[in-house]
Amino acid sequence: MIDLSKKGLPDVIYCNGRPYSIYTDFRYWLKFYKLTQKRDLKLSELYFLFKNKTPHDDLFLLDVSEETADFSPQLLEFFYNPNATPKGESKSTTKTFDYILDGEYIYASFLQVYGIDLTECDMHWHKFKALFASLPENCKMREIMSFRSWKEDNRKYKTIANELKNDWSFPLEKIDKETEEGLKQDFYNAY
């Protein structure tokens, strides 16, 4: 999730409490995507993502095991960049796009919609993903994704609208009683 309250975008992952600088350009993460499609991926094949050193470089310094220096969960979290909405992930397991196979359609859609030539620019992976996720229905990539995900749906509009409303609603935040009472006192007792 892109946090607009902070300047810039993340450029490190944390492993064993230590920060490691990573490359953030979308091309590195497309290569990561391609590698993760392999069945026998080795952690060493992902070292190209690190700018200076990897968590494995610090194994002896930190006195941790190989297993503890596994940085793949942090890389996967950076890659997927989870967002709180929509909540109701699609129940469909149909794959609607492939960053590699659909490269020319993604390129054309970015050029059409945003005026961005992906062959000539540098772009943070999270920015790329945000723009990709927000491509409008009238571009080629979204059209292809619609074809791939099409299914007959006999539900009524009201049912579908309610499901979408629920999926896109904000996550509920729990406020403890002390904070709630403080807020009530601050706002309702103010003159």
Side-chain angles (χ1 to χ4, degrees), residues 167-189:
D167 288 350
W168 284 95
S169 65
F170 295 108
L172 295 176
E173 292 185 27
K174 300 276 185 196
I175 299 177
D176 60 62
K177 286 290 184 194
E178 186 178 322
T179 304
E180 186 178 350
E181 290 303 316
L183 286 171
K184 285 179 183 176
Q185 191 172 20
D186 289 346
F187 287 106
Y188 297 119
N189 293 335

Side-chain angles (χ1 to χ4, degrees), residues 3-165:
D3 186 349
L4 295 178
S5 68
K6 297 176 183 175
K7 187 173 182 179
L9 294 168
D11 60 357
V12 297
I13 64 163
Y14 288 87
C15 188
N16 296 316
R18 296 183 63 135
Y20 293 91
S21 293
I22 56 173
Y23 291 102
T24 60
D25 186 69
F26 73 97
R27 288 173 192 85
Y28 284 90
W29 293 92
L30 292 177
K31 183 176 178 181
F32 173 82
Y33 169 78
K34 191 173 185 178
L35 285 171
T36 58
Q37 306 303 302
K38 292 175 32 174
R39 291 195 189 278
D40 58 344
L41 179 66
K42 296 178 183 79
L43 277 178
S44 61
E45 293 179 76
L46 302 176
Y47 289 171
F48 74 94
L49 290 168
F50 293 90
K51 286 186 177 179
N52 302 318
K53 59 184 176 176
T54 73
H56 282 267
D57 296 335
D58 287 339
L59 280 179
F60 299 108
L61 177 67
L62 297 173
D63 194 30
V64 295
S65 68
E66 275 292 313
E67 191 176 294
T68 309
D70 179 5
F71 49 83
S72 58
Q74 293 86 342
L75 292 178
L76 285 168
E77 184 175 350
F78 185 89
F79 176 78
Y80 286 112
N81 187 28
N83 195 335
T85 56
K87 290 185 293 208
E89 290 298 318
S90 172
K91 294 160 187 78
S92 172
T93 57
T94 304
K95 185 175 178 180
T96 60
F97 68 91
D98 183 286
Y99 289 121
I100 306 305
L101 297 176
D102 291 323
E104 62 192 44
Y105 304 115
I106 295 169
Y107 168 83
S109 295
F110 270 65
L111 193 59
Q112 173 196 347
V113 174
Y114 307 118
I116 298 173
D117 186 335
L118 291 174
T119 64
E120 296 179 1
C121 73
D122 295 324
M123 185 184 305
H124 191 285
W125 173 245
H126 293 179
K127 189 186 293 187
F128 174 87
K129 282 196 63 199
L131 293 173
F132 181 79
S134 298
L135 286 170
E137 296 295 325
N138 67 342
C139 72
K140 191 63 172 179
M141 191 64 234
R142 277 292 184 191
E143 186 179 324
I144 291 168
M145 290 168 67
S146 291
F147 295 153
R148 290 176 180 156
S149 64
W150 185 89
K151 64 180 179 184
E152 189 171 351
D153 193 345
N154 293 325
R155 295 175 298 160
K156 293 186 177 182
Y157 175 79
K158 187 175 180 179
T159 303
I160 295 169
N162 278 325
E163 287 174 7
L164 289 171
K165 179 182 178 182

